[in-house]
Amino acid sequence: MTDSTFAVSGEPTHWALSALLLLLWLLASWRWLRKMPLEGATEAHWLIIHASQTGQAQDLAKTAFRRVSKVLEAQGRTARLAAANVVTKSDLARAEALCFVVATTGEGEAPDNALRFEREVMASAPDLTGKLAAILALGDRRYDQFCAFGQRVAEWLEHNRATFLGPPVLVDDHAPADLERWDALLRETGFPEAEQDSDASVKSWKVVRREQVAKASPGSGSGQTSDGLYHLVLQPQDHDERQWQIGDLFELHTPCGHLRDYSIANRPGSEELHLIVRRVLDQGRTGRGSGLLTATSEQNQVVNGRIRPHPSFRPPAGDGPLLAIGAGSGWAGLRPHVLHAMANDRPCWLIYGERQDADNDALLAEMRAWHREGQLLHLDLALSSGGGPYVQDIVAQKAAQLVQLCGPDTGVILCGRLAMGQACLAELARMLSQDWLDEARETGRLRHDLY
């Protein structure tokens, strides 16, 4: 038996009636949908765009967004916060003001979450006539390319005829005086001053253990550049459970107002935070952060800081082998990734460099024990105190084996000094192709934290 409830006869009048009913339904649906807000609508009067490698620029952009949106909402207008890579030329065209908070990484490069923006949007020439613009650029004058990406953004805005609210604010090493100039620019533009002491995540931490795990190394020029590596264990004074993910950072707040980031060297699931810190000497003076953390041998020293998310340094995507490359204090960033890979039975090849070799050196003993126990697929150590080999030399020497390892599902993680990381990336590009690296970076299979 045939169900005729929805059957349509072949009569022309029936077809016409059906078509009319369908047309009326479509019209009603269209009018209803027009009244519904578009999910994820991108139109905004003020567009706050961040480009951040470690999260500091993103945090400052969030603060600016809160200040701007509070005022605009009272006026019936809108603000939007967005990572640079998701911003399109259409977004720029619809906004009346563009606020950029951007960091520079590597040798003047854009952060990973701004590579597409620079490659595609900044390579075009959108007409920004009449658009207001403000720029906060984070950098460090110890690097030759100080705030280079921020300055490229400023030049691009100027070339495309945007109107600046004030000169670009270039921040050296998170200097409070530089950040005050940014705060003043926002106040002068009509946005209220940020509330003081609003970050409840900054807490007091006790240094409950401190151990030197690598010896001092002589440097060029006057005296030493490194007074060794130290393994520190921190506990929160309030004993509240802290949540973090692999790759996250401990942001140290020094008494003089400077911030220093240190990779958390253990996996989540513990109250304790483990750090591996190089005691830096510059013209005989200790670094602001490393000096504070390693200046005393007494237990229960109290420091202030917070856990800060570092989303661009999460475990690499893919289920294939993991290639982990690093040197020196970069072991702090690599260590939780290696532990995570071993815990998930992901084959891991570790290439690590340090300046000294000692069988009782706790830093190297841990890696060697993992390799002996079969938890590491391969372990290659570049112990360069005698002039080499360096990490990039090991990468070059192992080219044939690394090509076999690096398939379409292989993850790569790098952590350590910028020069080392760039040299290793250049070697990987030579053996695997730049296209392989670009695709791995785009898909999240390549992660790096270089400084």
Side-chain angles (χ1 to χ4, degrees):
M1 183 177 179
T2 304
D3 185 353
S4 60
T5 305
F6 296 101
V8 178
S9 75
E11 293 293 328
T13 54
H14 288 178
W15 280 110
L17 180 60
S18 298
L20 179 60
L21 289 173
L22 178 61
L23 179 62
L24 290 172
W25 178 81
L26 290 172
L27 179 62
S29 299
W30 174 73
R31 293 184 65 183
W32 177 74
L33 288 170
R34 282 190 65 193
K35 296 177 182 179
M36 294 293 291
L38 292 176
E39 185 177 353
T42 58
E43 186 169 351
H45 296 92
W46 271 68
L47 192 54
I48 292 90
I49 302 167
H50 63 85
S52 184
Q53 191 68 25
T54 64
Q56 286 185 341
Q58 184 176 4
D59 287 347
L60 289 167
K62 287 179 179 177
T63 300
F65 171 74
R66 287 193 294 268
R67 295 175 70 171
V68 170
S69 60
K70 183 177 180 180
V71 172
L72 293 186
E73 284 175 7
Q75 301 170 352
R77 301 156 72 211
T78 59
R80 177 191 169 205
L81 176 68
N85 270 356
V86 304
V87 174
T88 66
K89 288 184 286 185
S90 296
D91 295 330
L92 300 178
R94 287 191 290 263
E96 66 182 37
L98 309 172
C99 176
F100 285 87
V101 183
V102 302
T104 295
T105 189
E107 285 294 340
E109 300 163 8
D112 288 349
N113 69 346
L115 291 171
R116 188 202 62 78
F117 180 81
E118 182 169 33
R119 184 177 65 247
E120 298 178 10
V121 179
M122 289 179 60
S124 64
D127 184 4
L128 302 179
T129 302
K131 309 284 185 190
L132 301 177
I135 298 180
L136 175 65
L138 306 185
D140 190 326
R141 291 193 184 276
R142 291 175 298 176
Y143 293 90
D144 293 335
Q145 301 294 327
F146 174 62
C147 290
F149 177 59
Q151 297 194 64
R152 291 200 299 276
V153 172
E155 292 167 2
W156 173 75
L157 288 168
E158 183 179 19
H159 177 74
N160 291 292
R161 298 175 291 283
T163 301
F164 287 91
L165 291 166
V169 178
L170 308 183
V171 181
D172 177 24
D173 191 22
H174 225 77
D178 294 337
L179 291 171
E180 168 56 31
R181 290 191 292 114
W182 173 249
D183 190 55
L185 177 61
L186 291 179
R187 288 197 309 269
E188 292 164 5
T189 308
F191 303 111
E193 188 169 0
E195 295 180 5
Q196 298 299 312
D197 302 322
S198 60
D199 190 354
S201 63
V202 177
K203 300 287 186 180
S204 296
W205 298 74
K206 289 189 298 184
V207 181
V208 297
R209 194 162 78 245
R210 183 188 289 104
E211 175 191 7
Q212 186 172 2
V213 293
K215 297 179 177 61
S217 302
S220 58
S222 58
Q224 296 177 323
T225 58
S226 167
D227 200 24
L229 287 175
Y230 290 77
H231 181 182
L232 297 96
V233 180
L234 278 60
Q235 287 182 348
Q237 279 200 301
D238 57 14
H239 294 287
D240 286 346
E241 185 178 356
R242 297 292 188 270
Q243 301 294 326
W244 79 90
Q245 297 183 54
I246 290 174
D248 285 350
L249 305 167
F250 177 72
E251 181 185 81
L252 176 70
H253 290 226
T254 70
C256 58
H258 285 269
L259 307 180
R260 286 292 183 269
D261 287 334
Y262 297 97
S263 296
I264 299 175
N266 56 317
R267 297 176 70 200
S270 169
E271 181 186 73
E272 297 178 339
L273 297 186
H274 290 236
L275 310 179
I276 297 173
V277 177
R278 185 178 296 284
R279 181 176 167 87
V280 176
L281 293 177
D282 184 6
Q283 302 298 319
R285 294 174 297 181
T286 58
R288 290 189 178 100
S290 64
L292 177 65
L293 291 171
T294 63
T296 176
S297 59
E298 67 182 49
Q299 302 295 345
N300 297 325
Q301 173 195 9
V302 177
V303 297
N304 293 324
R306 64 171 181 141
I307 294 172
R308 192 157 61 75
H310 190 0
S312 64
F313 200 55
R314 296 281 179 255
D319 297 322
L322 177 69
L323 174 61
I325 303 173
S329 59
W331 176 235
L334 288 186
R335 188 175 183 271
H337 288 279
V338 173
L339 287 168
H340 181 71
M342 294 190 303
N344 289 277
D345 295 322
R346 187 174 189 179
C348 181
W349 185 339
L350 173 61
I351 301 176
Y352 174 78
E354 182 44 36
R355 302 174 187 180
Q356 299 283 348
D357 183 15
D359 290 337
N360 62 349
D361 189 335
L363 194 71
L364 302 179
E366 181 179 52
M367 305 174 200
R368 286 168 167 156
W370 292 343
H371 187 229
R372 239 184 356 260
E373 295 162 3
Q375 296 185 74
L376 290 176
L377 180 66
H378 296 291
L379 172 65
D380 287 288
L381 296 175
L383 303 170
S384 59
S385 58
Y390 298 99
V391 175
Q392 57 267 31
D393 299 327
I394 299 293
V395 173
Q397 291 167 11
K398 302 287 183 175
Q401 299 97 309
L402 289 174
V403 168
Q404 291 182 338
L405 179 85
C406 293
D409 211 25
T410 300
V412 180
I413 192 95
L414 294 98
C415 192
R417 298 297 296 175
L418 177 64
M420 177 278 302
Q422 289 187 324
C424 290
L425 287 171
E427 290 295 340
L428 291 173
R430 271 192 282 273
M431 67 180 72
L432 299 169
S433 83
Q434 188 61 49
D435 287 344
W436 192 97
L437 290 187
D438 290 343
E439 193 271 339
R441 185 179 281 111
E442 290 283 343
T443 57
R445 292 188 298 105
L446 170 61
R447 309 278 195 181
H448 57 78
D449 188 3
L450 307 175
Y451 43 86

